[in-house]
Amino acid sequence: MKFLEVCKGKKFDVPPVWLMRQAGRYMPEYRELRKKHGMLELCTTPELAKEVTLMPIRRFGFDAAILFSDITIPYYGLGVKFEIKEGVGPVVEDPIRDLEDIKKMDDFSVVREIESVAEAVKLLKKELPVPLIGFVGAPFTLAAYLIEGKPSRDFKKTKAFMFKNPEAWNALMDKLTDATIKYAKEQIDSGADVMQVFDSWVGGLNERSYKEYVAPWMKRIFSSIKELPSIHFGTNTSHLLHLMKDVGADVTGVDWRISLREAYHRVKSPIQGNLDPAILFGTKEVIEREVQAIKEEASEIGAHIFNLGHGILPETPIESVEILLRAVRS
Ligand code: 1CP
């Protein structure tokens, strides 16, 4: 299928297209289901996770499905208590402060919630007409929620922890890397076709910090999931793209802050992206013009998967997604 071929470096005039967070709150059928079920309940009930994953495929016919889940799910396997707070995001009950707290965490095991994700993947594989993208959060981004205790914009506590306690940081990254690989394997063994690794917040680091505090663990992850194509995504990463490329994914996801041309120059391998999600609040003419601009840039570079530069925003009009799809495929 086209999507899988692009992951391996083949170029098409009309790129395959899917959108990050394509199953979610901008869809009325999702909001309807969410009235009856909590977010984490949706993620850990195989039938429901399957239904939500299928919603955008049925409505729009994207070229790939992404498993409906959340990057926090492996916390269950580590015995970390957390919730997803309405209008906030992941909130951790006892944020990590030191090495003792890390030692108190369980080693990752396949608990019921993890099994239910594997089961959702198996159910999906029986019904899906397109490839299924499994996903995991990268250790830095997972560590950020564990240390901050909640979403953050500057990651002050995370960086302080990293720079002050290198021994504890290494122990935490080891633990989260082990969990990430085992959790990815559950999805792979159940039939996922592609693995996307979200390091959403790593762009807050500079090159030296990325090399020292993140890259070694990312290499371990990508070398452990070689059995299927991988996509590596982060935001605000223009200055890190060449280093991210080196840790071993097949495709690099880029946000909208950099042109595809420049991003390609830095990675020289398949690229996913990168329409600004806010463009979907614009007029039909603006959406068409911006999609066309990305297609023109893509025509000058190697393999390309059309996507947004970050998740679709909850207030996005359904019609905008239809306009985007028609423009990409025309
Ligand atoms: O009530 C709700 O519906 C909660 C909103 C929500 C949703 C729909 C959350 C809480 N997670 C999700 C699903 C989700 N999470 C998906 C769905 C699959 C799809 O793409 O269709 C995916 C891929 C994720 C992954 C995820 N969760 C990331 C990485 C992707 C990204 O956007 O950068 C991150 C950083 C999270 C944490 C998280 N979970 C939820 C929220 C609101 C957040 C972000 C909080 C923050 O700003 O730090």
Side-chain angles (χ1 to χ4, degrees):
M1 268 185 266
K2 207 184 210 180
F3 176 70
L4 299 175
E5 289 178 72
V6 175
C7 292
K8 286 301 180 190
K10 190 162 174 197
K11 188 177 154 85
F12 292 89
D13 288 341
V14 174
V17 51
W18 70 282
L19 305 183
M20 288 186 278
R21 302 282 184 115
Q22 65 190 15
R25 282 173 299 177
Y26 73 106
M27 295 187 83
E29 53 270 51
Y30 175 81
R31 290 195 300 270
E32 203 46 47
L33 195 67
R34 271 286 277 115
K35 285 183 192 158
K36 290 178 267 174
H37 306 279
M39 164 67 198
L40 290 171
E41 183 191 354
L42 291 182
C43 296
T44 56
T45 312
E47 264 309 316
L48 294 175
K50 182 197 83 172
E51 275 311 304
V52 180
T53 303
L54 286 169
M55 279 173 184
I57 305 303
R58 290 194 181 116
R59 187 189 264 272
F60 301 111
F62 289 114
D63 294 304
I66 181 159
L67 176 69
F68 185 79
S69 188
D70 192 73
I71 58 164
T72 50
I73 297 298
Y75 292 161
Y76 285 114
L78 293 163
V80 171
K81 293 198 185 69
F82 73 102
E83 60 175 320
I84 302 231
K85 216 168 170 177
E86 194 80 48
V88 179
V91 175
V92 174
E93 197 174 295
D94 298 308
I96 286 177
R97 291 153 308 168
D98 53 28
L99 190 57
E100 285 315 303
D101 290 339
I102 296 163
K103 287 181 180 158
K104 274 189 255 161
M105 284 161 74
D106 297 341
D107 283 326
F108 182 83
S109 68
V110 180
V111 295
R112 183 197 64 83
E113 290 87 351
I114 306 294
E115 275 173 0
S116 66
V117 170
E119 185 56 31
V121 172
K122 287 179 194 153
L123 293 178
L124 276 161
K125 286 303 290 175
K126 290 186 199 149
E127 283 186 41
L128 261 178
V130 293
L132 178 64
I133 304 167
F135 73 89
V136 292
F140 176 86
T141 292
L142 292 176
Y145 288 113
L146 292 178
I147 295 168
E148 307 282 339
K150 58 181 194 302
S152 162
R153 285 298 161 245
D154 54 14
F155 306 100
K156 220 160 40 191
K157 288 183 187 161
T158 309
K159 287 168 129 181
F161 189 101
M162 189 171 88
F163 294 131
K164 211 160 60 184
N165 312 314
E167 189 196 351
W169 178 259
N170 293 353
L172 182 57
M173 290 296 274
D174 280 342
K175 195 145 207 153
L176 292 172
T177 297
D178 174 68
T180 299
I181 292 169
K182 287 178 177 155
Y183 180 53
K185 290 281 181 195
E186 287 296 312
Q187 298 176 55
I188 295 170
D189 293 346
S190 303
D193 297 296
V194 171
M195 189 59 55
Q196 174 149 329
V197 181
F198 283 98
D199 210 351
S200 301
W201 312 130
V202 79
L205 298 182
N206 67 15
E207 289 179 62
R208 261 196 322 282
S209 299
Y210 187 84
K211 276 191 208 164
E212 184 171 350
Y213 299 102
V214 176
W217 291 273
M218 296 308 288
K219 283 185 184 154
R220 214 184 287 168
I221 290 171
F222 286 111
S223 67
S224 304
I225 57 169
K226 282 273 172 237
E227 53 274 61
L228 80 190
S230 53
I231 307 173
H232 185 188
F233 171 79
T235 63
N236 272 308
T237 54
S238 304
H239 62 301
L240 299 177
L241 288 175
H242 57 296
L243 300 175
M244 290 173 71
K245 153 69 188 152
D246 279 350
V247 300
D250 297 299
V251 181
T252 306
V254 294
D255 76 12
W256 66 90
R257 294 172 179 90
I258 186 170
S259 73
L260 278 188
R261 206 180 282 116
E262 181 55 31
Y264 185 75
H265 177 70
R266 295 181 194 189
V267 303
K268 299 189 176 67
S269 53
I271 286 204
Q272 173 174 281
N274 70 341
L275 188 78
D276 181 345
I279 295 288
L280 296 179
F281 296 133
T283 60
K284 179 167 182 283
E285 290 65 34
V286 169
I287 297 170
E288 287 173 347
R289 183 189 74 199
E290 294 300 314
V291 168
Q292 192 51 36
I294 288 179
K295 284 179 73 176
E296 276 165 26
E297 278 184 55
S299 71
E300 297 166 22
I301 65 171
H304 173 234
I305 298 166
F306 198 102
N307 205 317
L308 302 176
H310 200 183
I312 187 165
L313 297 159
E315 305 82 7
T316 303
I318 291 285
E319 305 75 56
S320 294
V321 177
E322 288 162 352
I323 294 165
L324 174 149
L325 274 173
R326 273 199 301 275
V328 173
R329 288 173 171 163
S330 69

